[in-house]
Amino acid sequence: MKKLCQIFLVVALFAVGQHSALAEHIIRGRIIDGTRDSSAVASIQVHLQKIKKTDVNPAELQQTRSLSSGNYRFTVQNIDSLSTWFAAVDYQGVRYYSHGTNFKAGTNPLQQDIVVYDSTHSAADVNTLMHHIFIDNLGKTVRFRESFVLNNPGKKAITHAIHNQHIGGATLQFELPQTAVNFAATSSREIIQHGQFVFDKTIMLPGNKQVSYSYEIPWKGNSLPVSFTVDQPSRTFNLFISDPNMTLVSAQLADDGPFSIRGNTYHRYGLDNIAKGTRISFTLRRAGGGQAQSSTRIIILTVVLLGLALVIGYVRKTKKISSIEKIDRTKIAQRKKELILEIARLDLAAAQNDLQETKNKRQSLKIGRASCRE
């Protein structure tokens, strides 16, 4: 019995040891200076954090300092498999993060290296590799979807290159057409609008990054003039129009004809190698005056024409009746005059007849008297 208890105790201790070994995880990595040919960054404070999908901000767990080799190491127990774990460092005003990892039972994550860069407040060397604008006719307005692929050719991170009293610091800015409405950022919540400009408040690391946003401009009849200034030198600039009833007129942009993207056909207009500060101008035109707006105008015009026709018909009818009445009154007056003259003539004839009869009677009386004297 005693021997059995000893065996049970050994098994229990082994199981506890195994559980402790499995519950203990290592997060390690190296801090590298990307500006100085990947040299080690020594003695920098490293933060271990985790976050869940339901969390707003990450939770701070541990801190350590990197070694002279740039290496750091965290030992973690009681791993939460629902959380994402990562390391972070602050370097020259910018916080850099490692790739996040999710632990699985009995496994450790891969090496979590962090690359940091020296910071600069100048965006003078930034250029645009590709600037695309997709144009859609929405009836009353035209939607513009702008997308940039920007390049930072240097070895420093760009931060706060622009200072604005309303939005604070920003890295880049882009000009909007004056009548733009309904702005929406699509690449990052740190892309914001203020007035006629769009500001990118994110940090721009060496290499490429994408910025995209959209807005609308109301039609002005059947045409829409658009103009804006290019804020960075651009290698390629392209406009893609999705509506076949829309055309573009510009002295600057070349008509490149139909162009297919993911099964959709667009009409493309473009220009290459644009210098910073260039003013781009073009006019959009549509056939038929648009969709809903055109139908409304047609209905209104039809109602107006019908009303005008009714008014003209009524006026003509009134004039006709007045003319008829005027003609009838003239005829009656003339007829009355004729009748009066006829009556006068008859009266005169009657009077003449009476006079003749009287003369005849007098003559008869004279003859009768003469006979009596004889």
Side-chain angles (χ1 to χ4, degrees), residues 67-364:
L67 303 175
S68 59
S69 61
N71 291 323
Y72 70 90
R73 173 189 171 109
F74 293 105
T75 301
V76 184
Q77 294 181 344
N78 301 321
I79 291 297
D80 179 4
S81 60
L82 298 178
S83 297
T84 298
W85 301 68
F86 54 90
V89 297
D90 296 311
Y91 186 76
Q92 295 191 9
V94 179
R95 171 154 283 200
Y96 296 87
Y97 298 92
S98 70
H99 293 291
T101 184
N102 298 101
F103 289 98
K104 295 181 181 180
T107 63
N108 280 315
L110 299 173
Q111 180 96 350
Q112 299 294 303
D113 292 343
I114 302 176
V115 180
V116 300
Y117 299 92
D118 288 355
S119 296
T120 180
H121 299 310
S122 173
D125 294 332
V126 173
N127 62 86
T128 302
L129 302 179
M130 182 181 67
H131 181 191
H132 287 172
I133 302 180
F134 291 85
I135 299 176
D136 305 307
N137 183 14
L138 302 184
K140 294 183 179 180
T141 63
V142 178
R143 181 175 59 194
F144 294 76
R145 295 176 290 147
E146 295 204 39
S147 179
F148 303 81
V149 176
L150 301 153
N151 175 257
N152 175 8
K155 291 186 176 181
K156 295 183 178 181
I158 303 173
T159 173
H160 292 175
I162 298 168
H163 294 275
N164 183 285
Q165 61 178 344
H166 300 286
I167 58 95
T171 304
L172 301 168
Q173 75 174 20
F174 310 89
E175 184 182 349
L176 290 173
Q178 289 186 351
T179 54
V181 295
N182 299 333
F183 173 85
T186 53
S187 60
S188 170
R189 290 180 296 179
E190 294 296 308
I191 306 296
I192 63 173
Q193 177 201 11
H194 182 77
Q196 199 181 338
F197 292 93
V198 176
F199 296 93
D200 178 9
K201 295 176 65 68
T202 62
I203 306 301
M204 187 169 188
L205 301 177
N208 298 340
K209 70 174 297 185
Q210 182 176 356
V211 172
S212 57
Y213 51 83
S214 67
Y215 53 88
E216 298 174 21
I217 301 179
W219 279 104
K220 294 182 178 180
N222 290 335
S223 66
L224 178 60
V226 179
S227 63
F228 56 88
T229 300
V230 175
D231 294 285
Q232 290 83 31
S234 301
R235 293 187 187 179
T236 60
F237 173 73
N238 290 288
L239 292 168
F240 298 91
I241 298 178
S242 61
D243 189 344
N245 294 318
M246 289 175 59
T247 56
L248 183 145
V249 179
S250 174
Q252 296 171 287
L253 306 179
D255 186 344
D256 296 323
F259 190 82
S260 295
I261 302 176
R262 298 177 182 176
N264 297 317
T265 300
Y266 301 87
H267 200 105
R268 183 176 66 166
Y269 300 84
L271 181 64
D272 294 335
N273 301 318
I274 308 174
K276 180 179 179 179
T278 301
R279 192 73 179 170
I280 300 292
S281 299
F282 57 88
T283 299
L284 295 173
R285 293 178 180 172
R286 61 177 174 178
Q291 301 165 350
Q293 188 178 22
S294 175
S295 300
T296 303
R297 287 183 176 179
I298 291 173
I299 293 172
I300 293 173
L301 182 60
T302 302
V303 171
V304 170
L305 291 176
L306 287 174
L308 185 61
L310 291 173
V311 171
I312 292 172
Y314 176 78
V315 170
R316 286 181 176 178
K317 184 177 180 181
T318 303
K319 286 184 177 180
K320 184 176 181 180
I321 292 173
S322 299
S323 299
I324 293 172
E325 290 178 349
K326 185 176 181 180
I327 293 171
D328 289 344
R329 285 196 297 270
T330 302
K331 288 182 177 180
I332 291 172
Q334 185 177 357
R335 183 60 179 165
K336 181 179 179 181
K337 185 177 181 180
E338 292 175 353
L339 290 174
I340 291 173
L341 292 174
E342 182 67 18
I343 291 171
R345 186 183 65 79
L346 291 173
D347 289 342
L348 179 61
Q352 291 177 347
N353 289 333
D354 291 342
L355 180 60
Q356 186 63 38
E357 288 179 0
T358 301
K359 286 183 177 180
N360 292 336
K361 285 182 179 181
R362 287 179 177 176
Q363 186 65 30
S364 298

